[in-house]
Amino acid sequence: MSLWNKAKKAKTSTPEQSINTSRQNLNELVLKSIHEGVIIVGPNGNIRLANPAFCELSGRSLAELDDVFYDSVINLLDKTGNRISEGRNPINIALKNKEYGEVRDLDIVAADSNKNTPVSIIITPTHEENPNLIVTFRDIAQELKEERERSEFISTASHEMRTPVASIEGYLGLAMNPSTATVDERGMEFLTKAHEASQHLGRLFQDLLDTTKLDDGQIKARLEPVDVIALVKSIADGQIPNITAKGLGYQFGSGSVDQQLSGGKRIDQLIYASIDPDFLREVINNLIENAVKYTPTGWVTVNVRADNYNVQIIVEDTGIGVAREELSHIFQKFYRVDNRDTREIGGTGLGLYLVKQRVEAMNGRIWAESEIGKGTRFICLFPRISEEAYKQQRFYIDNQQAQGRENIDF
Ligand code: ADP
């Protein structure tokens, strides 16, 4: 029975109860009036409460949604129009890991009219041992349309501007080169500044182009089965010169979560996942570059951990940290934390946006944990695959490549 139905059954009340009741009425009024669809999902996955906006999005009546398993009444499609698997369902994920979750790349289909609505889904678990999940669905059709238009504009503009900037950078390089030009010390100082600024602009345009290409689906992840520890280690080790040049320490670690729990005993094991190695390279390089940039002294640590279901790649530093209220924003396009510590450090505010896009394109999730002055930890989570699945998929891909055919994504 839904909480609303239960509330309606209460008949006589004390004054204290009536204050509570009127509060409850107000709560109900809010839930009934807002445009966002809201449901509460119990720890067993059954819907305990739904508001009218959700009824409209899902095309179901309150009675149809009352105390039924969420997956039997909520039809979510991915961007290719296919119903998402249980493993990708954000409600299923939150029921398992009891953590906050946010996705905006799914459509909900109304059962009565078959209407598809692109939605942003935010899942907040309550603070209980077996939490209920508060799930909100926001219609983002208009938002996506505007984003597409903005994206088209940015893509064209950055494409057009990249060429003259490359030319400016090239000529400045020639002017600074003693074998092609003669400039005095002051002139060299100005040229160096202009050269740095043009390089920054070039990077910005490239980041913008990459962003819009992924936004438009022009670049797609090509997933293939990989040995995660070996791949992450080789990418991270490539950043050692960068890390040590700033005088920071570097550590790489691996192992399973279970091993950590069983007193830190390490048994080396192989961890596999379906990943696009080029995307992962960009993700890890970006996270390590940030770790170096925002860490004045201390360590950069990269870890690979796994349990039976998931693989976690963790990039951690002992740097300046990010304030709690900023953490949920740092993955947004152009967002840069603006304070005394960050103002001097250059950047475009696009790196983490690109990182998140790439992680999600590989069916993963990324989030950050941080404490000001102590450091920041970025955690990327991907579904783990078994050794058997790895071998089968690898065999298939190697065969395809030997015959010169295109890979299929895993
Ligand atoms: P930027 O080009 O500004 O580094 P990013 O998108 O990579 O852009 O990061 C967004 C913001 O998040 C940064 O401006 C910075 O304030 C914060 N940030 C990212 N990584 C770290 C980190 N490892 N430590 C502290 N702050 C970080």
Side-chain angles (χ1 to χ4, degrees), residues 133-170:
L133 304 178
I134 301 171
V135 190
T136 61
F137 296 76
R138 188 165 54 83
D139 179 346
I140 52 169
Q142 181 62 21
E143 206 172 299
L144 290 180
K145 183 172 165 271
E146 284 165 10
E147 267 175 28
R148 259 194 311 275
E149 286 165 2
R150 251 197 326 263
S151 185
E152 260 171 43
F153 171 74
I154 293 174
S155 171
T156 320
S158 42
H159 188 79
E160 293 301 316
M161 288 191 269
R162 217 171 36 148
T163 323
V165 166
S167 149
I168 295 171
E169 197 186 320

Side-chain angles (χ1 to χ4, degrees), residues 45-58:
N46 281 12
I47 297 180
R48 303 189 62 203
L49 180 145
N51 73 344
F54 183 75
C55 293
E56 188 157 340
L57 281 172
S58 63

